[in-house]
Amino acid sequence: MNAALPVEVLKQHLIDPEICIRCNTCEETCPIDAITHDSNNYVVDPDICNGCMACVPPCPTGSIDNWRLVVRAEAYSLQDQLGWDELPREQPLPEAAAVAQPAADAAVEPPSAAAVAVMPSAAPGASVPPWSAAHPYVNLYTHKTPVTATVVGNYRVTGADTDSDIHHIVLDFGELPFPVLEGQSIGILPPGADAQGRPHHARQYSLASPRDGERAGYNNLSLTVKRVTEDHQGQSAHGVCSNYLCDLAKNDTVQVIGPFGHTFLMPNHPRANLIMICTGTGSAPMRAMTERYRRRIETGENGRLLLFFGARTERELPYFGPLMKLPRDFIDINLALSREAGQPKRYVQDLIRERAAAVRELLADRNTCIYVCGLKGMEVGVLDALREVTMQAGQDWTILHDVLRREGRLHFETY
Ligand code: NAP
């Protein structure tokens, strides 16, 4: 009698298209380029993925953490995955495969979360939150079960005479629970369908308000949304969700999913310092964190706040008026204006270099966390500036960078 030949089993890594918010974090994090996407889905190449798990902790929704045992020769192809609206159910394996499974499975068993946390990583930021961060709730509302929020405010926070049409939008959740922390984001489901007739995907926006509400004690939150009228190359483009949001009127309703994010969170212990580095609408989480500190200014438990904020001009800098009214001894504000008439072009990284002593002093304190949010292009410039200011003091940036990542003290959210 011939015994059935064992077939090779693969623990295939898959992304749940129903939960994924298409934020690109996994594709950026993957050290071996196993993750790719089209206009529909983010997908994992079974021929490349080695189950290293580097992409799992940074994913804000957990949609990345899906696995199916499959016969390797029948693994779901990229083409299969790109067409999915939902994950396929786990299928029973053939008997011969089941025999071979433990060895094959062991070969791809992903490392533990603790092991991943100490892995050397190519990602510029941490994949863990600061040790004292509060516990975040994530995925309370999904594509299948969105929550309806009501618009209670929508106003422009940039000069009316500028091209930067940035809105502060306040959403109220009424009686429905929507617990959030500063640094988290939500997804908005714009109405309508894409060119293929599929419902639009959710678009992700960071909270601009602190955990206790845009108005303290109310069940509401705010977003900072820039009306998209051109793409990154400057070509004319119509942002589906940003235009929808910027045009909303008071009492309109919006479908919301989330909250998302479990790492870009602020420390919760007394006298924690924050270095906040942002451009444009990347100021949203910085506003949330600053407001959290402002509301407890009387308690004396705040650490120091050092802000580097980049915009084209003062009139294109969201929240310019309210920001400039904050007390100088509460927050150290450094504005980098790149297109202000009669002034040299400045980027946030230029100001980090100019304020090297203040940056170094805070970096030397283990109670300091750094947050970077805004344009993707600033990432390299900011890292270079931080390297330079540390090296000027004879310190090794490579070591400090690793410590900051390991201790959840350096966070990036850039698009
Ligand atoms: P923007 O107006 O295009 O740019 C803001 C400033 O950054 C300008 O002064 C710009 O200078 C400067 N800048 C350009 N390249 C830079 C670089 N390589 N390094 C440092 N500074 C640079 O910004 P925006 O349109 O508001 O974009 C903000 C970004 O934040 C978007 O990518 C958005 O997706 C992201 N974001 C938004 C949210 C949200 O909740 N809304 C949350 C997270 C992230 P010049 O243009 O004059 O060169």
Side-chain angles (χ1 to χ4, degrees):
M1 195 176 79
N2 289 337
L5 282 177
V7 291
E8 194 186 351
V9 169
L10 172 71
K11 186 166 182 174
Q12 185 170 3
H13 188 190
L14 299 170
I15 298 173
D16 187 338
E18 287 189 283
I19 304 179
C20 172
I21 49 171
R22 282 88 180 157
C23 65
N24 206 50
T25 307
C26 54
E27 192 169 318
E28 273 170 34
T29 315
C30 179
I32 52 170
D33 295 332
I35 300 179
T36 162
H37 72 278
D38 69 358
S39 60
N40 194 36
N41 282 341
Y42 276 72
V43 294
V44 187
D45 192 330
D47 294 330
I48 302 178
C49 177
N50 60 7
C52 77
M53 295 288 276
C55 58
V56 172
C59 171
T61 64
S63 57
I64 193 83
D65 200 7
N66 282 281
W67 309 82
R68 294 282 184 278
L69 288 176
V70 295
V71 174
R72 185 181 276 281
E74 294 165 12
Y76 297 107
S77 69
L78 290 182
Q79 221 43 44
D80 293 335
Q81 298 173 51
L82 288 168
W84 285 344
D85 292 324
E86 56 184 38
L87 280 182
R89 284 170 188 272
E90 183 100 52
Q91 299 296 325
L93 291 166
E95 251 175 57
V99 172
Q101 179 200 315
D105 194 19
V108 294
E109 191 60 57
S112 67
V116 171
V118 296
M119 268 183 184
S121 152
S127 57
V128 290
W131 68 268
S132 61
H135 171 78
Y137 290 90
V138 294
N139 291 331
L140 293 181
Y141 301 93
T142 66
H143 291 76
K144 279 190 178 155
T145 58
V147 61
T148 301
T150 305
V151 178
V152 292
N154 182 355
Y155 55 92
R156 185 169 168 144
V157 287
T158 43
D161 55 337
T162 69
D163 289 340
S164 298
D165 186 7
I166 300 181
H167 285 234
H168 183 70
I169 298 170
V170 186
L171 301 178
D172 192 277
F173 292 87
E175 299 296 308
L176 292 164
F178 203 89
V180 290
L181 292 173
E182 307 78 11
Q184 283 196 292
S185 56
I186 63 168
I188 300 286
L189 293 171
D194 64 16
Q196 282 73 43
R198 293 180 297 234
H200 288 300
H201 290 307
R203 306 301 204 273
Q204 186 189 5
Y205 296 93
S206 299
L207 300 188
S209 52
R211 62 190 77 180
D212 56 340
E214 166 68 14
R215 185 168 170 191
Y218 282 69
N219 190 18
N220 58 22
L221 55 77
S222 62
L223 308 175
T224 312
V225 181
K226 182 174 183 177
R227 189 188 291 279
V228 174
T229 53
E230 54 183 42
D231 62 19
H232 281 296
Q233 284 72 45
Q235 302 296 315
S236 167
H238 182 82
V240 169
C241 199
S242 66
N243 280 279
Y244 162 65
L245 286 172
C246 288
D247 289 336
L248 286 170
K250 217 170 160 183
N251 294 324
D252 281 348
T253 57
V254 183
Q255 298 298 298
V256 179
I257 62 173
F260 305 120
H262 50 267
T263 56
F264 194 108
L265 300 175
M266 62 191 295
N268 227 9
H269 65 281
R271 271 161 290 286
N273 311 304
L274 311 182
I275 300 179
M276 300 177 281
I277 305 164
C278 62
T279 52
T281 53
S283 54
M286 314 313 180
R287 180 184 184 272
M289 293 183 189
T290 302
E291 189 58 11
R292 166 91 181 142
Y293 268 42
R294 195 190 64 77
R295 286 183 191 175
R296 60 176 201 196
I297 213 164
E298 302 299 335
T299 66
E301 60 186 305
N302 284 342
R304 287 166 56 188
L305 299 180
L306 177 58
L307 172 70
F308 297 96
F309 192 161
R312 295 172 184 179
T313 64
E314 264 179 26
R315 297 185 56 69
E316 289 173 272
L317 189 135
Y319 309 111
F320 178 73
L323 181 63
M324 299 321 283
K325 288 199 188 101
L326 294 173
R328 295 301 91 175
D329 58 352
F330 165 65
I331 181 168
D332 182 343
I333 300 171
N334 301 268
L335 301 184
L337 303 175
S338 59
R339 306 189 199 184
E340 194 68 86
Q343 287 186 20
K345 186 179 181 87
R346 316 278 287 295
Y347 277 174
V348 283
Q349 50 268 39
D350 301 322
L351 296 190
I352 292 171
R353 289 189 178 89
E354 280 176 29
R355 298 296 313 279
V359 172
R360 270 199 299 270
E361 193 187 330
L362 286 181
L363 281 178
D365 184 344
R366 283 190 71 185
N367 293 306
T368 299
C369 293
I370 309 169
Y371 300 88
V372 185
C373 188
L375 294 168
K376 183 91 206 142
M378 74 195 282
E379 240 177 63
V380 172
V382 165
L383 282 169
D384 282 349
L386 291 174
R387 177 186 300 113
E388 234 175 274
V389 301
T390 25
M391 283 173 57
Q392 278 164 6
Q395 288 173 320
D396 187 332
W397 166 249
T398 317
I399 294 174
L400 179 60
H401 191 188
D402 263 356
V403 169
L404 292 171
R405 280 189 296 209
R406 210 173 42 241
E407 296 183 351
R409 291 169 49 208
L410 174 61
H411 294 275
F412 286 83
E413 190 150 298
T414 55
Y415 297 104

